[in-house]
Amino acid sequence: MIPVLDSRGMRAADARAIRGGIASEDLMENAAMALCRELTGFRRIVAVCGPGNNGGDGLAAARLLALAGASVRVFTLHDPSAYTGDPAIQLTRARGVGLAPVSLSGAGGFVRLRRALAESEAVVDALFGTGLCRTLGGEALRAVAAMNACRKPILAADLPSGLSVDGGALLGPAVRAAKTVALGAPKLCHVLPPASDFCGVVVVADIGISREALETGRERLFVAEASDVRALLPPRRSSSHKAEFGRLAVVAGSRGKAGAAILAARGALRGGAGLVTVFCPESLEALVVGSLPEAMTRALPESGGGIAESAARELVRSLRSFDAVVIGPGLGEAQGTVRVLETLLRDSRVPIVADADALNAFRGRPGAFARRRSATILTPHPGEAGRLLGLSSGAVQSDRLRAARRLARASGAIVLLKGANSLIVRPRGEVVVNPTGTPLLATAGSGDVLAGLIGALFAGGLDAGDAAMAGAWLHGAAAQTLSLALGDAGLLAHEVADAVPRARRALTAAPVPPDA
């Protein structure tokens, strides 16, 4: 996993790398090469450079682009003669290949910038990096406005200018980048909204700082990598049988919401569960069987279209033969159903994935999950997390990291707070950010599929944190494969379930090991 750093952590990593023998000048050159790699194919480029090291990265990239044959125009925020240290070296090198930086603080600077932007194919934003801690003003604010107004793809060096590296909150106006090259490691603003919305596609570039230099052992926030998920999903032997891959129960559905139960079970089966049994109100059993004959069913007594309270004891007994259970999709919030859920949490020792109405039933009572005697995963969207915590969904979204940590601590469970860059949080506060996904997933039923997929991995033997991380990663990767054909809208939830095996195959493609 890649550690996510704040400004202090990044400065410390830079210092450790330099003490380890890497020259600061080489770090800047490596950063410039990383920027250039993302500009392949663009021939007319404008680089807007600030006064510090971020500006030095931009100057170095401009030189390399010019040497590669691109037409590059360079603008500096202040008089170029003010550069010192490594940026001053880069200025000299840029001039040495014929580049003539234009100062935006000089007469006519912004007229020339706007004209250059209009003629460009792409823009490099190298105004400010990790050192910014204030709202932009003056020429910097005008430069940001000009870049945003030009409607050309903007590549941000390390982070879009105007953002603070230390969180997701906005300081004020900021560059809206199409792509951001995170130098060395991702930063908090790359993964936490609303700041992350300004970053576009984030590419993490190796600039020569070792993983040992990036990690101190005190990091508590990471981004999941494909290799992390791959390690959790070894290839299956040819002699494998279904019992090896987990027996999963899905307790779901109510009148008008049979689809949620079907989608959760489909997500589980596509996620590799060996056996899936849907426990649902008796009137829904035929619908489940007709839609998904691969799943087994167990009809439960019902009342008012939902599971009746009288089903509670039978359900607790039946679940003893399962490795894990997904509860909540489409269950409804009838009083009898809530009583069933309370009994299940109190008396069942089966590992649980609680989703949707299994979360809504405990609004304001996250401690109900903390009293469980086995592992639990909660998969709320911001509204459900807010109901558990007594907050609005807006309050959760305004500080997703804090809300998710608070919920994990109060519930004693692994919490997967859904949304762009979903957060997987352990009760002690360690957080993994899921980097996969697409706006396609903002559609009814995709959360039901995710719950089933996580349940399959949980029942198959992964611990709660790993099941949540791997499930979120595969769910997002499956949607990404579909986005190639669908774009960013129009997904049917069952399609993402059906794409999970392809995402898993792409991740784990390797020879099948011989039978033991």
Side-chain angles (χ1 to χ4, degrees), residues 435-476:
T436 64
T438 158
L440 278 174
L441 291 172
T443 189
S446 67
D448 303 321
V449 170
L450 175 60
L453 171 56
I454 293 171
L457 299 170
F458 205 10
L462 296 187
D463 74 17
D466 288 343
M469 178 183 73
W473 199 98
L474 286 169
H475 187 250

mmCIF file of all heavy atoms in Angstrom, residues 435-476:
data_model
loop_
_atom_site.group_PDB
_atom_site.id
_atom_site.type_symbol
_atom_site.label_atom_id
_atom_site.label_comp_id
_atom_site.label_asym_id
_atom_site.label_seq_id
_atom_site.Cartn_x
_atom_site.Cartn_y
_atom_site.Cartn_z
ATOM 1 N N PRO A 435 -8.756 3.235 -4.785
ATOM 2 C CA PRO A 435 -8.543 4.132 -5.924
ATOM 3 C C PRO A 435 -9.378 3.803 -7.154
ATOM 4 O O PRO A 435 -9.372 4.577 -8.117
ATOM 5 C CB PRO A 435 -7.060 3.924 -6.232
ATOM 6 C CG PRO A 435 -6.829 2.478 -5.909
ATOM 7 C CD PRO A 435 -7.714 2.187 -4.714
ATOM 8 N N THR A 436 -10.090 2.668 -7.164
ATOM 9 C CA THR A 436 -10.816 2.269 -8.371
ATOM 10 C C THR A 436 -12.245 2.795 -8.331
ATOM 11 O O THR A 436 -12.792 3.091 -7.277
ATOM 12 C CB THR A 436 -10.841 0.749 -8.531
ATOM 13 O OG1 THR A 436 -11.571 0.170 -7.427
ATOM 14 C CG2 THR A 436 -9.439 0.172 -8.570
ATOM 15 N N GLY A 437 -12.858 2.871 -9.500
ATOM 16 C CA GLY A 437 -14.250 3.296 -9.571
ATOM 17 C C GLY A 437 -14.483 4.275 -10.695
ATOM 18 O O GLY A 437 -13.562 4.734 -11.368
ATOM 19 N N THR A 438 -15.749 4.613 -10.901
ATOM 20 C CA THR A 438 -16.188 5.479 -11.988
ATOM 21 C C THR A 438 -17.578 6.005 -11.632
ATOM 22 O O THR A 438 -18.297 5.368 -10.851
ATOM 23 C CB THR A 438 -16.259 4.682 -13.305
ATOM 24 O OG1 THR A 438 -17.141 5.349 -14.223
ATOM 25 C CG2 THR A 438 -16.778 3.281 -13.108
ATOM 26 N N PRO A 439 -17.989 7.148 -12.187
ATOM 27 C CA PRO A 439 -19.354 7.628 -11.949
ATOM 28 C C PRO A 439 -20.436 6.643 -12.357
ATOM 29 O O PRO A 439 -21.593 6.787 -11.929
ATOM 30 C CB PRO A 439 -19.420 8.911 -12.793
ATOM 31 C CG PRO A 439 -18.006 9.387 -12.868
ATOM 32 C CD PRO A 439 -17.180 8.134 -12.923
ATOM 33 N N LEU A 440 -20.105 5.645 -13.164
ATOM 34 C CA LEU A 440 -21.092 4.611 -13.510
ATOM 35 C C LEU A 440 -21.711 3.976 -12.270
ATOM 36 O O LEU A 440 -22.862 3.522 -12.294
ATOM 37 C CB LEU A 440 -20.429 3.511 -14.339
ATOM 38 C CG LEU A 440 -20.239 3.727 -15.840
ATOM 39 C CD1 LEU A 440 -19.434 2.586 -16.419
ATOM 40 C CD2 LEU A 440 -21.576 3.854 -16.548
ATOM 41 N N LEU A 441 -20.954 3.903 -11.182
ATOM 42 C CA LEU A 441 -21.424 3.204 -9.988
ATOM 43 C C LEU A 441 -22.493 3.975 -9.226
ATOM 44 O O LEU A 441 -23.092 3.436 -8.291
ATOM 45 C CB LEU A 441 -20.238 2.901 -9.066
ATOM 46 C CG LEU A 441 -19.267 1.849 -9.601
ATOM 47 C CD1 LEU A 441 -18.028 1.757 -8.718
ATOM 48 C CD2 LEU A 441 -19.952 0.487 -9.697
ATOM 49 N N ALA A 442 -22.732 5.222 -9.616
ATOM 50 C CA ALA A 442 -23.785 6.005 -8.970
ATOM 51 C C ALA A 442 -25.126 5.619 -9.576
ATOM 52 O O ALA A 442 -25.779 6.391 -10.282
ATOM 53 C CB ALA A 442 -23.514 7.495 -9.142
ATOM 54 N N THR A 443 -25.538 4.374 -9.289
ATOM 55 C CA THR A 443 -26.795 3.863 -9.827
ATOM 56 C C THR A 443 -27.399 2.885 -8.838
ATOM 57 O O THR A 443 -26.689 2.258 -8.035
ATOM 58 C CB THR A 443 -26.544 3.169 -11.180
ATOM 59 O OG1 THR A 443 -27.795 2.853 -11.800
ATOM 60 C CG2 THR A 443 -25.744 1.884 -11.023
ATOM 61 N N ALA A 444 -28.712 2.770 -8.871
ATOM 62 C CA ALA A 444 -29.419 1.919 -7.928
ATOM 63 C C ALA A 444 -28.940 0.480 -8.034
ATOM 64 O O ALA A 444 -28.817 -0.070 -9.123
ATOM 65 C CB ALA A 444 -30.924 1.985 -8.200
ATOM 66 N N GLY A 445 -28.675 -0.117 -6.892
ATOM 67 C CA GLY A 445 -28.310 -1.526 -6.836
ATOM 68 C C GLY A 445 -26.831 -1.808 -6.798
ATOM 69 O O GLY A 445 -26.423 -2.922 -6.455
ATOM 70 N N SER A 446 -25.984 -0.820 -7.137
ATOM 71 C CA SER A 446 -24.550 -1.113 -7.150
ATOM 72 C C SER A 446 -24.039 -1.396 -5.735
ATOM 73 O O SER A 446 -23.135 -2.216 -5.549
ATOM 74 C CB SER A 446 -23.758 0.029 -7.790
ATOM 75 O OG SER A 446 -23.808 1.200 -7.006
ATOM 76 N N GLY A 447 -24.615 -0.747 -4.731
ATOM 77 C CA GLY A 447 -24.221 -1.030 -3.353
ATOM 78 C C GLY A 447 -24.614 -2.426 -2.913
ATOM 79 O O GLY A 447 -23.900 -3.059 -2.119
ATOM 80 N N ASP A 448 -25.750 -2.936 -3.415
ATOM 81 C CA ASP A 448 -26.157 -4.305 -3.096
ATOM 82 C C ASP A 448 -25.155 -5.306 -3.662
ATOM 83 O O ASP A 448 -24.772 -6.282 -2.999
ATOM 84 C CB ASP A 448 -27.555 -4.590 -3.667
ATOM 85 C CG ASP A 448 -28.607 -3.609 -3.172
ATOM 86 O OD1 ASP A 448 -28.562 -3.241 -1.985
ATOM 87 O OD2 ASP A 448 -29.457 -3.205 -3.976
ATOM 88 N N VAL A 449 -24.714 -5.051 -4.896
ATOM 89 C CA VAL A 449 -23.697 -5.914 -5.513
ATOM 90 C C VAL A 449 -22.416 -5.884 -4.691
ATOM 91 O O VAL A 449 -21.790 -6.927 -4.439
ATOM 92 C CB VAL A 449 -23.428 -5.472 -6.964
ATOM 93 C CG1 VAL A 449 -22.212 -6.199 -7.540
ATOM 94 C CG2 VAL A 449 -24.658 -5.710 -7.833
ATOM 95 N N LEU A 450 -22.000 -4.698 -4.260
ATOM 96 C CA LEU A 450 -20.779 -4.568 -3.457
ATOM 97 C C LEU A 450 -20.891 -5.345 -2.161
ATOM 98 O O LEU A 450 -19.949 -6.041 -1.759
ATOM 99 C CB LEU A 450 -20.494 -3.092 -3.179
ATOM 100 C CG LEU A 450 -19.311 -2.800 -2.254
ATOM 101 C CD1 LEU A 450 -18.009 -3.350 -2.829
ATOM 102 C CD2 LEU A 450 -19.202 -1.300 -1.992
ATOM 103 N N ALA A 451 -22.027 -5.243 -1.480
ATOM 104 C CA ALA A 451 -22.206 -5.977 -0.221
ATOM 105 C C ALA A 451 -22.058 -7.475 -0.441
ATOM 106 O O ALA A 451 -21.403 -8.178 0.334
ATOM 107 C CB ALA A 451 -23.567 -5.652 0.388
ATOM 108 N N GLY A 452 -22.665 -7.994 -1.527
ATOM 109 C CA GLY A 452 -22.544 -9.414 -1.812
ATOM 110 C C GLY A 452 -21.130 -9.824 -2.153
ATOM 111 O O GLY A 452 -20.651 -10.884 -1.728
ATOM 112 N N LEU A 453 -20.441 -8.979 -2.915
ATOM 113 C CA LEU A 453 -19.055 -9.264 -3.286
ATOM 114 C C LEU A 453 -18.164 -9.316 -2.052
ATOM 115 O O LEU A 453 -17.339 -10.240 -1.899
ATOM 116 C CB LEU A 453 -18.576 -8.191 -4.257
ATOM 117 C CG LEU A 453 -17.103 -8.148 -4.638
ATOM 118 C CD1 LEU A 453 -16.634 -9.476 -5.199
ATOM 119 C CD2 LEU A 453 -16.860 -7.027 -5.645
ATOM 120 N N ILE A 454 -18.309 -8.348 -1.172
ATOM 121 C CA ILE A 454 -17.524 -8.356 0.071
ATOM 122 C C ILE A 454 -17.867 -9.583 0.899
ATOM 123 O O ILE A 454 -16.990 -10.243 1.471
ATOM 124 C CB ILE A 454 -17.768 -7.065 0.867
ATOM 125 C CG1 ILE A 454 -17.193 -5.863 0.116
ATOM 126 C CG2 ILE A 454 -17.159 -7.151 2.260
ATOM 127 C CD1 ILE A 454 -17.579 -4.525 0.713
ATOM 128 N N GLY A 455 -19.152 -9.921 0.957
ATOM 129 C CA GLY A 455 -19.565 -11.105 1.697
ATOM 130 C C GLY A 455 -18.921 -12.370 1.177
ATOM 131 O O GLY A 455 -18.510 -13.254 1.940
ATOM 132 N N ALA A 456 -18.798 -12.487 -0.147
ATOM 133 C CA ALA A 456 -18.165 -13.665 -0.742
ATOM 134 C C ALA A 456 -16.714 -13.776 -0.306
ATOM 135 O O ALA A 456 -16.234 -14.868 0.051
ATOM 136 C CB ALA A 456 -18.258 -13.585 -2.262
ATOM 137 N N LEU A 457 -15.994 -12.657 -0.327
ATOM 138 C CA LEU A 457 -14.583 -12.672 0.068
ATOM 139 C C LEU A 457 -14.434 -12.948 1.559
ATOM 140 O O LEU A 457 -13.509 -13.644 1.992
ATOM 141 C CB LEU A 457 -13.942 -11.335 -0.299
ATOM 142 C CG LEU A 457 -13.951 -11.008 -1.801
ATOM 143 C CD1 LEU A 457 -13.531 -9.563 -2.031
ATOM 144 C CD2 LEU A 457 -13.051 -11.963 -2.571
ATOM 145 N N PHE A 458 -15.340 -12.421 2.339
ATOM 146 C CA PHE A 458 -15.358 -12.628 3.792
ATOM 147 C C PHE A 458 -15.607 -14.103 4.099
ATOM 148 O O PHE A 458 -14.873 -14.738 4.867
ATOM 149 C CB PHE A 458 -16.469 -11.758 4.360
ATOM 150 C CG PHE A 458 -16.317 -11.352 5.800
ATOM 151 C CD1 PHE A 458 -15.155 -11.574 6.516
ATOM 152 C CD2 PHE A 458 -17.370 -10.704 6.430
ATOM 153 C CE1 PHE A 458 -15.046 -11.174 7.841
ATOM 154 C CE2 PHE A 458 -17.270 -10.296 7.748
ATOM 155 C CZ PHE A 458 -16.114 -10.533 8.457
ATOM 156 N N ALA A 459 -16.640 -14.680 3.473
ATOM 157 C CA ALA A 459 -16.955 -16.094 3.689
ATOM 158 C C ALA A 459 -15.840 -16.993 3.171
ATOM 159 O O ALA A 459 -15.620 -18.096 3.689
ATOM 160 C CB ALA A 459 -18.268 -16.443 2.988
ATOM 161 N N GLY A 460 -15.113 -16.517 2.153
ATOM 162 C CA GLY A 460 -14.030 -17.310 1.579
ATOM 163 C C GLY A 460 -12.753 -17.313 2.385
ATOM 164 O O GLY A 460 -11.781 -17.970 1.993
ATOM 165 N N GLY A 461 -12.714 -16.585 3.491
ATOM 166 C CA GLY A 461 -11.573 -16.686 4.390
ATOM 167 C C GLY A 461 -10.780 -15.422 4.632
ATOM 168 O O GLY A 461 -9.885 -15.407 5.484
ATOM 169 N N LEU A 462 -11.063 -14.330 3.912
ATOM 170 C CA LEU A 462 -10.346 -13.086 4.180
ATOM 171 C C LEU A 462 -10.832 -12.469 5.485
ATOM 172 O O LEU A 462 -12.003 -12.613 5.850
ATOM 173 C CB LEU A 462 -10.555 -12.082 3.043
ATOM 174 C CG LEU A 462 -10.004 -12.452 1.664
ATOM 175 C CD1 LEU A 462 -10.143 -11.264 0.721
ATOM 176 C CD2 LEU A 462 -8.567 -12.909 1.742
ATOM 177 N N ASP A 463 -9.930 -11.764 6.177
ATOM 178 C CA ASP A 463 -10.396 -11.073 7.368
ATOM 179 C C ASP A 463 -11.216 -9.854 6.945
ATOM 180 O O ASP A 463 -11.274 -9.491 5.771
ATOM 181 C CB ASP A 463 -9.252 -10.710 8.319
ATOM 182 C CG ASP A 463 -8.382 -9.547 7.862
ATOM 183 O OD1 ASP A 463 -8.805 -8.765 6.976
ATOM 184 O OD2 ASP A 463 -7.284 -9.392 8.419
ATOM 185 N N ALA A 464 -11.873 -9.226 7.919
ATOM 186 C CA ALA A 464 -12.852 -8.193 7.594
ATOM 187 C C ALA A 464 -12.232 -7.033 6.823
ATOM 188 O O ALA A 464 -12.787 -6.570 5.819
ATOM 189 C CB ALA A 464 -13.512 -7.693 8.880
ATOM 190 N N GLY A 465 -11.087 -6.546 7.270
ATOM 191 C CA GLY A 465 -10.457 -5.420 6.592
ATOM 192 C C GLY A 465 -10.037 -5.755 5.185
ATOM 193 O O GLY A 465 -10.231 -4.962 4.246
ATOM 194 N N ASP A 466 -9.453 -6.936 4.994
ATOM 195 C CA ASP A 466 -9.016 -7.347 3.668
ATOM 196 C C ASP A 466 -10.204 -7.596 2.738
ATOM 197 O O ASP A 466 -10.148 -7.277 1.550
ATOM 198 C CB ASP A 466 -8.159 -8.602 3.757
ATOM 199 C CG ASP A 466 -6.778 -8.344 4.344
ATOM 200 O OD1 ASP A 466 -6.357 -7.167 4.380
ATOM 201 O OD2 ASP A 466 -6.123 -9.317 4.772
ATOM 202 N N ALA A 467 -11.280 -8.179 3.265
ATOM 203 C CA ALA A 467 -12.466 -8.426 2.444
ATOM 204 C C ALA A 467 -13.065 -7.117 1.956
ATOM 205 O O ALA A 467 -13.460 -6.985 0.789
ATOM 206 C CB ALA A 467 -13.498 -9.228 3.226
ATOM 207 N N ALA A 468 -13.141 -6.121 2.849
ATOM 208 C CA ALA A 468 -13.688 -4.821 2.458
ATOM 209 C C ALA A 468 -12.801 -4.143 1.429
ATOM 210 O O ALA A 468 -13.290 -3.581 0.440
ATOM 211 C CB ALA A 468 -13.856 -3.939 3.696
ATOM 212 N N MET A 469 -11.489 -4.197 1.640
ATOM 213 C CA MET A 469 -10.567 -3.558 0.700
ATOM 214 C C MET A 469 -10.618 -4.234 -0.670
ATOM 215 O O MET A 469 -10.754 -3.570 -1.707
ATOM 216 C CB MET A 469 -9.137 -3.605 1.229
ATOM 217 C CG MET A 469 -8.112 -2.999 0.280
ATOM 218 S SD MET A 469 -6.403 -3.146 0.866
ATOM 219 C CE MET A 469 -6.102 -4.905 0.602
ATOM 220 N N ALA A 470 -10.514 -5.557 -0.696
ATOM 221 C CA ALA A 470 -10.502 -6.276 -1.969
ATOM 222 C C ALA A 470 -11.837 -6.149 -2.688
ATOM 223 O O ALA A 470 -11.883 -6.006 -3.915
ATOM 224 C CB ALA A 470 -10.152 -7.743 -1.740
ATOM 225 N N GLY A 471 -12.937 -6.196 -1.929
ATOM 226 C CA GLY A 471 -14.245 -6.057 -2.543
ATOM 227 C C GLY A 471 -14.436 -4.697 -3.183
ATOM 228 O O GLY A 471 -14.925 -4.586 -4.316
ATOM 229 N N ALA A 472 -14.054 -3.643 -2.469
ATOM 230 C CA ALA A 472 -14.181 -2.296 -3.030
ATOM 231 C C ALA A 472 -13.319 -2.143 -4.278
ATOM 232 O O ALA A 472 -13.740 -1.545 -5.276
ATOM 233 C CB ALA A 472 -13.795 -1.256 -1.974
ATOM 234 N N TRP A 473 -12.099 -2.696 -4.227
ATOM 235 C CA TRP A 473 -11.188 -2.570 -5.367
ATOM 236 C C TRP A 473 -11.763 -3.288 -6.590
ATOM 237 O O TRP A 473 -11.794 -2.723 -7.695
ATOM 238 C CB TRP A 473 -9.824 -3.150 -5.004
ATOM 239 C CG TRP A 473 -8.709 -2.698 -5.888
ATOM 240 C CD1 TRP A 473 -7.816 -1.696 -5.657
ATOM 241 C CD2 TRP A 473 -8.368 -3.236 -7.186
ATOM 242 N NE1 TRP A 473 -6.944 -1.565 -6.716
ATOM 243 C CE2 TRP A 473 -7.255 -2.490 -7.661
ATOM 244 C CE3 TRP A 473 -8.888 -4.247 -7.967
ATOM 245 C CZ2 TRP A 473 -6.670 -2.753 -8.887
ATOM 246 C CZ3 TRP A 473 -8.300 -4.504 -9.201
ATOM 247 C CH2 TRP A 473 -7.210 -3.766 -9.647
ATOM 248 N N LEU A 474 -12.215 -4.525 -6.427
ATOM 249 C CA LEU A 474 -12.746 -5.290 -7.555
ATOM 250 C C LEU A 474 -14.029 -4.666 -8.101
ATOM 251 O O LEU A 474 -14.249 -4.632 -9.319
ATOM 252 C CB LEU A 474 -13.017 -6.734 -7.131
ATOM 253 C CG LEU A 474 -11.793 -7.630 -6.949
ATOM 254 C CD1 LEU A 474 -12.198 -8.937 -6.280
ATOM 255 C CD2 LEU A 474 -11.110 -7.899 -8.285
ATOM 256 N N HIS A 475 -14.880 -4.184 -7.226
ATOM 257 C CA HIS A 475 -16.135 -3.542 -7.619
ATOM 258 C C HIS A 475 -15.835 -2.336 -8.508
ATOM 259 O O HIS A 475 -16.415 -2.170 -9.592
ATOM 260 C CB HIS A 475 -16.869 -3.125 -6.343
ATOM 261 C CG HIS A 475 -18.252 -2.608 -6.546
ATOM 262 N ND1 HIS A 475 -18.565 -1.273 -6.364
ATOM 263 C CD2 HIS A 475 -19.416 -3.222 -6.867
ATOM 264 C CE1 HIS A 475 -19.860 -1.096 -6.559
ATOM 265 N NE2 HIS A 475 -20.403 -2.252 -6.881
ATOM 266 N N GLY A 476 -14.898 -1.489 -8.068
ATOM 267 C CA GLY A 476 -14.538 -0.328 -8.868
ATOM 268 C C GLY A 476 -13.853 -0.702 -10.160
ATOM 269 O O GLY A 476 -14.113 -0.095 -11.219
#
